[in-house]
Amino acid sequence: MTICFGPFALNLDTRQLSRGGESIHLSTKAFDLLALLAAERPNVVSKALLQSKLWPDTFVAEANLSNLVAEIRQALDDSSRTPLYIRTVHRIGYAFCAAGVGAAPPVRDLLTASFWIESNGRHFPLPVGEHVIGRDADVAIRLDSSTVSRRHARILVTETGAVLDDFGSKNGTFRGDARVTAPTPLADGDSIWIGRHLLTFRQSG
């Protein structure tokens, strides 16, 4: 089973956390904690219950649990003050609070995708379907920047090609130097500007 949230995928079978197809390291206990919280979403899970699940029949200091939460937040680029994924409920426990949680697209689609986006060394496969770009936690390509709207733009992929469309964003969407005001076909190597973020569209073959 794979749980998708924001740009992340949590595969419970292979015990892997990934972003844009790239694996993110988590310690064994941190992965177990994230899986536990995700399984109980959106409910709050008490510290006592988490400790009993992670360290059965063993007494550990509460700091061990908070250290694991800090490790997860670092891996997810999350903040304790304005959490997108892990919410602290003071004196009680923690809750998985990601919006738009769902199942991942089939792995075969990710491995055989003919289209993808490159950005800052990251790789975002684009299987057939809609791929929303923005600041929201539940979009396919999340860009955490004040120049990016919550739901800024989308790339719509079919079997034969891909088009870029703007969602009426404040700072606009550009293909190269041209502002996107209507669905615009994409070609291999096209530069896409989302606010101040540069993305590169790629197509195999």
Side-chain angles (χ1 to χ4, degrees):
M1 178 182 177
T2 300
I3 299 171
C4 289
F5 55 100
F8 300 99
L10 183 69
N11 191 313
L12 302 181
D13 297 318
T14 63
R15 294 183 58 84
Q16 288 180 303
L17 172 68
S18 60
R19 178 173 185 165
E22 296 184 3
S23 181
I24 299 173
H25 174 73
L26 277 179
S27 66
T28 300
K29 290 294 186 185
F31 185 93
D32 290 341
L33 173 57
L34 181 56
L36 282 168
L37 293 174
E40 294 296 327
R41 64 186 187 278
N43 299 329
V44 178
V45 185
S46 71
K47 294 178 182 179
L49 180 57
L50 289 172
Q51 286 178 318
S52 69
K53 293 287 188 180
L54 294 169
W55 297 280
D57 304 317
T58 303
F59 174 80
V60 296
E62 189 174 305
N64 290 45
L65 183 58
S66 59
N67 288 340
L68 291 181
V69 172
E71 180 184 343
I72 293 170
R73 282 177 173 149
Q74 183 176 7
L76 300 178
D77 294 326
D78 203 10
S79 166
S80 59
R81 293 186 178 181
T82 55
L84 292 173
Y85 308 117
I86 305 297
R87 179 170 63 93
T88 299
V89 182
H90 293 291
R91 298 185 180 181
I92 299 176
Y94 301 93
F96 187 81
C97 60
V101 179
V107 172
R108 62 179 179 276
D109 290 347
L110 300 180
L111 295 177
T112 62
S114 299
F115 310 99
W116 65 94
I117 286 292
E118 295 176 355
S119 175
N120 293 327
R122 291 187 291 163
H123 180 102
F124 298 92
L126 301 174
V128 171
E130 181 186 66
H131 305 273
V132 177
I133 307 169
R135 237 179 341 112
D136 266 353
D138 63 341
V139 299
I141 301 175
R142 183 171 178 268
L143 304 173
D144 189 11
S145 169
S146 60
T147 66
V148 177
S149 298
R150 298 178 69 85
R151 295 176 66 83
H152 194 108
R154 71 170 180 172
I155 297 174
L156 185 63
V157 177
T158 66
E159 295 288 351
T160 57
V163 296
L164 175 67
D165 198 10
D166 183 71
F167 280 155
S169 61
K170 179 179 179 181
N171 293 312
T173 299
F174 294 80
R175 186 192 66 174
D177 296 329
R179 185 161 187 158
V180 173
T181 57
T184 303
L186 291 170
D188 183 49
D190 276 351
S191 296
I192 301 170
W193 286 95
I194 305 291
R196 295 179 182 173
H197 287 265
L198 173 62
L199 313 179
T200 303
F201 177 78
R202 291 297 184 188
Q203 179 176 353
S204 64

